[in-house]
Amino acid sequence: MAKILCIETSTTVCSVALGDENGILGVREVSDPKAHSTKLPLLIEEVLKESNITANELDAVAVSKGPGSYTGLRIGVSMAKGICYASKIPLIGVSSLQAMAMGILFTKSDIDSSWLLCPMIDARRMEVYTAFYDSNANPITDVNAVIIDQNSFSEHLASKTILFFGDGSPKCKNVISNQNAIFIDDFSPSARFMLPLALKAFNNEQFEDTAYFEPFYLKDFIATKAKNKIIPNR
């Protein structure tokens, strides 16, 4: 029975879960965008210890591959690669948004099969990373960076109920007024939502090239300068 360690670091939530075909064996999570690099190793250690499993007994590591936070994704992928190299096990990449779509199905029992699922990850300002999924968390559209305005998704909302969730959805809630738009405010990404997708990939032997795998950033990283930094005249 395959035991897979799942690592989710694409948002402000740093999450680790261990599971197999019978379900989740252990999970640890912390919500702090600046703690991923320091907390992630500790969370992994705690989950493995709680489940009485060593890294060498894992069958694979699954990691959120994006889109999402540039820094968070790099931290998660680097850690996943290190474990895979040391334990000589395969690496599995899981779409951050598809895992969220899977998660909303786990946490909400009243989702109609005709609804579109629209997970959203905040991309700063009025932009979000998003895609549409059906009621089985299967992708319907490609992942895109979308700038939100009052006309966003109007074509789909004209004929479909859309369920918006994730830390990017409040931007829509404040702008889009449509009776077919439903907003979920209390949803957070979690590594435990990755497990079904990771198990499917493992059974189909859909593995990443550990040496060359890179996160799906969607957009180039743009460094910002501190506003309070004073540069002396030369």
Side-chain angles (χ1 to χ4, degrees):
M1 188 172 293
K3 290 182 172 57
I4 301 178
L5 181 71
C6 299
I7 299 173
E8 164 58 67
T9 58
S10 64
T11 67
T12 57
V13 178
C14 182
S15 177
V16 177
L18 176 67
D20 58 23
E21 283 84 351
N22 289 327
I24 296 296
L25 303 174
V27 62
R28 288 289 188 278
E29 296 176 337
V30 61
S31 182
D32 185 346
K34 297 181 180 180
H36 287 45
S37 60
T38 57
K39 294 293 185 181
L40 182 56
L42 297 176
L43 298 183
I44 293 173
E45 181 181 353
E46 289 176 2
V47 165
L48 293 177
K49 185 176 180 180
E50 176 187 38
S51 305
N52 197 29
I53 291 174
T54 67
N56 290 329
E57 295 175 287
L58 294 172
D59 293 288
V61 176
V63 65
S64 54
K65 65 180 181 181
S69 161
Y70 184 94
T71 302
L73 290 172
R74 288 193 68 84
I75 291 170
V77 168
S78 296
M79 180 63 68
K81 282 186 173 185
I83 297 173
C84 289
Y85 271 125
S87 301
K88 298 180 180 179
I89 54 178
L91 175 67
I92 298 170
V94 174
S95 165
S96 306
L97 291 170
Q98 189 174 17
M100 290 171 64
M102 187 67 69
I104 201 70
L105 296 175
F106 288 160
T107 56
K108 301 296 179 182
S109 60
D110 56 348
I111 296 176
D112 191 274
S113 60
S114 66
W115 294 0
L116 292 179
L117 307 180
C118 189
M120 292 181 158
I121 295 176
D122 187 5
R124 297 184 180 180
R125 298 184 177 88
M126 288 303 295
E127 193 169 20
V128 297
Y129 301 130
T130 191
F132 284 143
Y133 297 84
D134 65 19
S135 59
N136 292 312
N138 296 312
I140 296 176
T141 64
D142 293 333
V143 174
N144 286 293
V146 178
I147 297 175
I148 301 302
D149 60 32
Q150 62 184 3
N151 297 314
S152 297
F153 314 110
S154 58
E155 181 179 348
H156 292 88
L157 285 167
S159 59
K160 289 279 189 178
T161 296
I162 302 179
L163 189 65
F164 297 99
F165 54 99
D167 64 6
S169 67
K171 296 177 180 181
C172 280
K173 188 175 183 179
N174 295 329
V175 175
I176 296 176
S177 56
N178 189 296
Q179 63 180 4
N180 287 333
I182 300 175
F183 297 90
I184 302 298
D185 298 324
D186 58 350
F187 178 86
S188 294
S190 174
R192 57 196 173 96
F193 302 148
M194 298 169 59
L195 182 60
L197 300 171
L199 285 169
K200 181 179 179 180
F202 182 86
N203 292 329
N204 292 331
E205 297 185 355
Q206 296 174 330
F207 304 132
E208 306 292 347
D209 185 320
T210 305
Y212 296 102
F213 175 69
E214 290 289 335
F216 175 47
Y217 297 118
L218 193 58
K219 293 198 308 180
D220 293 332
F221 174 69
I222 301 176
T224 57
K225 294 181 180 180
K227 293 182 180 180
N228 61 348
K229 185 176 180 179
I230 300 176
I231 302 176
N233 295 326
R234 295 180 182 277

